Amino acid sequence: MNILTKQLNKVKKHYEALKEYKNYIDNMRFNFTKEEFFYLDTPQKGVLEAYLKRFASLQDYLGAKVFKTLLDNAGISYTKMSEVLTLIEKEGIISLEKWIEFRNIRNELEHDYPDELQEALKDLKYCIKEFDFMEEVVFKVFEFAGKYDESIKLS
């Protein structure tokens, strides 16, 4: 099994867990207010935390590992991380502006929670709302990889 295949298997696991958490959160009908947050039970709070951890892990892993490997497999050269993200955007996999926004929100959540609970809940709500964008990135990663290896598929 090559490096990209191993990386994509990990992406798939993160994505599937993230999707499962997203479905659970949607069924909670949580409005992301401080008042409502205090009425959530421990498992519900745990799912919110797990969603955020998976979201951040997926973004980190794609950015730090997978994007570089995709470019390597496609024979596209780069020298620094900013080039990787620019090239990945050029390939239509991400919107660089949105990717940086995700990273900033994720960093805010990591550093503010639970000190500024209402702000953390607002950022968490944003990450959950943006699930579709992250899902689209995952689909595009698999699509791009599939151009160079027909055996690569998300499902």
Side-chain angles (χ1 to χ4, degrees):
M1 186 181 298
N2 69 30
I3 292 171
L4 182 59
T5 302
K6 287 179 185 177
Q7 290 176 344
L8 292 178
N9 284 339
K10 188 171 179 175
V11 167
K12 184 177 178 181
K13 287 178 186 173
H14 278 307
Y15 164 70
E16 288 171 348
L18 190 67
K19 187 175 180 178
E20 187 176 326
Y21 296 141
K22 170 77 165 62
N23 289 336
Y24 183 89
I25 292 166
D26 287 347
N27 288 328
M28 284 173 49
R29 302 190 197 292
F30 177 55
N31 291 316
F32 299 90
T33 64
K34 262 173 42 171
E35 297 75 26
E36 268 191 59
F37 181 78
F38 291 117
Y39 287 105
L40 295 177
D41 60 31
T42 301
Q44 290 172 319
K45 289 176 182 175
V47 169
L48 296 174
E49 294 260 354
Y51 179 89
L52 183 59
K53 182 167 176 36
R54 285 290 181 165
F55 190 93
S57 294
L58 179 56
Q59 185 189 29
D60 286 344
Y61 193 68
L62 286 167
K65 304 277 187 191
V66 177
F67 291 165
K68 291 176 185 177
T69 307
L70 284 175
L71 294 175
D72 291 341
N73 278 16
I76 301 171
S77 60
Y78 56 89
T79 55
K80 44 190 176 174
M81 190 60 196
S82 59
E83 276 185 291
V84 170
L85 293 176
T86 300
L87 291 165
I88 288 296
E89 181 180 45
K90 190 175 181 180
E91 293 296 333
I93 296 172
I94 64 166
S95 154
L96 187 54
E97 184 179 327
K98 178 83 81 175
W99 196 257
I100 291 168
E101 191 176 320
F102 276 1
R103 188 72 184 173
N104 290 339
I105 294 285
R106 180 227 175 246
N107 287 342
E108 284 177 24
L109 281 167
E110 194 170 271
H111 299 301
D112 290 346
Y113 185 79
D115 297 336
E116 298 291 335
L117 182 58
Q118 189 60 53
E119 190 64 30
L121 290 170
K122 181 180 147 216
D123 290 344
L124 176 60
K125 182 179 181 179
Y126 172 84
C127 290
I128 291 168
K129 186 177 110 299
E130 293 298 332
F131 170 83
D132 292 342
F133 176 81
M134 186 63 80
E135 181 177 55
E136 187 178 319
V137 169
V138 169
F139 291 167
K140 287 178 178 180
V141 161
F142 275 85
E143 182 182 323
F144 184 84
K147 292 178 187 176
Y148 300 94
D149 182 344
E150 292 179 7
S151 69
I152 294 176
K153 301 200 182 338
L154 181 57
S155 49

